[in-house]
Amino acid sequence: MIRFVLRRVLAAIPIGLIVTLGVFALVFAMPGDPLRELAGDKPIPAAVLAAKRAQYHLDDPFIVQYLLSMKDILTGHFGTTFAGADIGDQLRLRIPVTLKLATLSMVFQWVLGLIFGIYAGFKRNGWVDRSLLLATLVLLAIPGLVAYFAAQYLFAVELKWFPVSGVLEGYPRSYLLPALVIGVLGFAGLGRLMRTSIVETVNADFVKTARAKGLGEQRVLWRHILPNALLPVVTFIGLDLAGLFGGAIITESIFNLPGLGQFMFQAVKLKEGGVVVLLCTLAFISFILINLLVDVLYGVLDPRVRNV
């Protein structure tokens, strides 16, 4: 297992360099001067502008700026944003916000998706199964951006069940509405996958053989059906977790949550390539760690894949 993990980590290094280089190139290619955009309509003295450009190496070639950004990441000296905010302090303030949102939304998604998916799979063609398929079909057809704004308007502005935006009301109240929207939208795919996997596993030959041997339904369920039915679900959950940061950019911007997603949106808007590369690196590391965890869970659920 240790050799397997080391191989994955070593293979991820060149991929990470390619990803961060590509992201930095896209930010670098964006039109406009970030310092002038930050100042707005206020005039900037030429001497001040030149000093700021030298401070942030904005006049250096693209590859030099990228290497300096990677050096800051590797040494842990992140510096400041163009507005003068310490990037390390920003990370310490924003990471807990994103983790709270992610944890709460995953709880909603997993509880709804697994419970309804398992029940619908065992009670195939029942009213719960038909309701699940219809509800998930509707949810999958709704664009996420529309769902965020509709939920914010209906439940926060009109009904006033939740705060409209921000984190002034603390955890979990300020996070409930965006987490519910993320969870319900994610539940659609997870519930359908869980239901389909259960249906396919229940009709498999090894399950029929287990029942023919006289094993009880509880033992067949926990020892034969669920471990095999969960294999594709674990993959789905892993990919969903890995892609959560991308969704957080939209969610946190709409609900004004001061997390990593909002930080990324602001950094892209102001062409802060160093911040964008730092956040992409954090997201990439999270992706690698989550995929390693998924591989370990695969080995727990199905011992046959441990030596593959």
Side-chain angles (χ1 to χ4, degrees), residues 5-6 17 21 24 52 89 113 120 135 145-146 167 187 195 209 226 275 287 299:
V5 172
L6 288 176
L17 291 175
L21 181 62
F24 194 89
K52 285 291 183 181
D89 291 340
L145 196 62
V146 174
V167 293
F187 141 78
R195 181 256 181 199
T209 302
L226 280 182
V275 177
F287 180 84

Side-chain angles (χ1 to χ4, degrees), residues 8-67:
R8 284 299 184 91
V9 172
L10 292 175
I13 293 175
I15 299 175
L17 291 175
I18 294 173
V19 169
T20 54
L21 181 62
V23 170
F24 194 89
L26 291 174
V27 176
F28 185 85
M30 291 176 62
D33 187 331
L35 294 179
R36 293 190 181 278
E37 290 180 10
L38 183 65
D41 296 329
K42 298 179 181 178
I44 306 177
V48 174
L49 185 61
K52 285 291 183 181
R53 295 188 69 83
Q55 177 185 352
Y56 294 107
H57 306 281
L58 296 180
D59 291 326
D60 291 336
F62 158 74
I63 193 65
V64 174
Q65 292 188 40
Y66 170 74
L67 292 176

